[in-house]
Amino acid sequence: MFILTEMQDNIRVEPRKFGSDMGQEIAKELNKKFANKVVHGIGLCIALYDITLVGDSYIFPGDGASHTKVHFRFVVFRPFVDEILVGKIRSCSPEGVRVSLGFFDDIFIPHQSLQHPKRFDQKEQLWVWEYEVEDDKHDMFMDIDEPIRFRVVEEIFVDTSPTTVQPTAALAEAASSSVLGVTKTTDSGPQQAPYTIMGSVSESGLGLLSWWSGG
């Protein structure tokens, strides 16, 4: 679930900090820049692990700050495909189930990846596993905030960096799709999550923990 990733970047340190320990100032700037942010193709950066190399510092005309090339390692959240994770149900919709790990909310289990047979209860706005035992059927509701065990089946990275290109109608429709993880709406329209994990519970042992507790 968590990995160490080697990265490099040019770090700017303001002149008023020149009297401080440069290593500590660089570490602060790295955490400020990357911690709790998604880096495209890498994952969700959690915290700086260590600095492996600090290059020469340069001061450019008209700036005054130091610019230093730094090699470092960051703790990154990026589960591998087929890894089993446990989170909590955040919400349900006809498209599927959203799951949160507490520190990461962009996890989606599409309806076709739920246990079978199932149905969406419009009144409760919850998914229901219609569990059959011999000739009897039990409704297993997927209640909000219930712990759920799921398998990672896919990861989706989306480049959300600013662009001057106007989105096409197809892209606008995709951005508004709950399947691809819209996290918020701004004045410019819906924004897609930069990193989404797709999950599945369509096998024995997966789903709500209470289903398999044996109690």
Side-chain angles (χ1 to χ4, degrees):
M1 181 163 63
F2 296 100
I3 60 175
L4 272 182
T5 301
E6 295 184 1
M7 305 168 65
Q8 63 180 19
D9 198 12
N10 290 308
I11 299 302
R12 181 180 184 273
V13 177
E14 298 177 353
R16 61 186 178 85
K17 299 178 180 178
F18 285 173
S20 304
D21 181 273
M22 187 58 70
Q24 292 183 3
E25 292 302 327
I26 289 176
K28 290 179 183 178
E29 291 299 322
L30 287 170
N31 273 316
K32 181 179 177 181
K33 185 172 184 178
F34 292 103
N36 202 33
K37 294 181 177 65
V38 171
V39 177
H40 187 75
I42 292 179
L44 175 65
C45 294
I46 304 298
L48 177 68
Y49 183 77
D50 62 6
I51 297 174
T52 57
L53 178 65
V54 177
D56 294 331
S57 298
Y58 298 90
I59 297 178
F60 299 106
D63 187 353
S66 67
H67 297 259
T68 308
K69 187 173 184 178
V70 181
H71 294 250
F72 55 95
R73 293 188 294 176
F74 232 87
V75 178
V76 174
F77 169 71
R78 188 177 182 179
F80 56 84
V81 173
D82 283 337
E83 184 172 358
I84 303 297
L85 301 178
V86 176
K88 287 188 176 182
I89 295 178
R90 182 182 170 199
S91 65
C92 293
S93 68
E95 289 76 24
V97 176
R98 292 201 167 279
V99 178
S100 173
L101 296 178
F103 63 91
F104 185 77
D105 294 335
D106 294 310
I107 302 170
F108 185 72
I109 303 174
H111 66 88
Q112 61 267 29
S113 297
L114 299 175
Q115 294 276 9
H116 296 279
K118 83 280 187 182
R119 74 176 190 275
F120 185 71
D121 190 302
Q122 291 289 349
K123 181 179 179 181
E124 299 291 339
Q125 289 294 296
L126 297 173
W127 278 98
V128 184
W129 177 24
E130 299 174 326
Y131 180 61
E132 298 178 353
V133 180
E134 297 179 350
D135 295 331
D136 199 5
K137 181 183 293 185
H138 300 273
D139 286 345
M140 314 286 277
F141 282 83
M142 302 184 71
D143 294 317
I144 306 301
D145 289 331
E146 278 290 313
I148 182 172
R149 182 186 294 114
F150 62 95
R151 181 184 300 278
V152 176
V153 296
E154 185 183 3
E155 56 179 9
I156 300 173
F157 283 98
V158 175
D159 188 357
T160 58
S161 57
T163 176
T164 56
V165 179
Q166 294 297 320
T168 63
L171 286 176
E173 182 179 354
S176 62
S177 170
S178 61
V179 174
L180 292 182
V182 173
T183 55
K184 60 181 179 180
T185 301
T186 65
D187 293 338
S188 59
Q191 288 188 346
Q192 195 173 328
Y195 179 42
T196 301
I197 292 174
M198 307 297 285
S200 172
V201 295
S202 60
E203 58 186 279
S204 180
L206 300 183
L208 269 61
L209 298 189
S210 58
W211 293 349
W212 311 100
S213 62

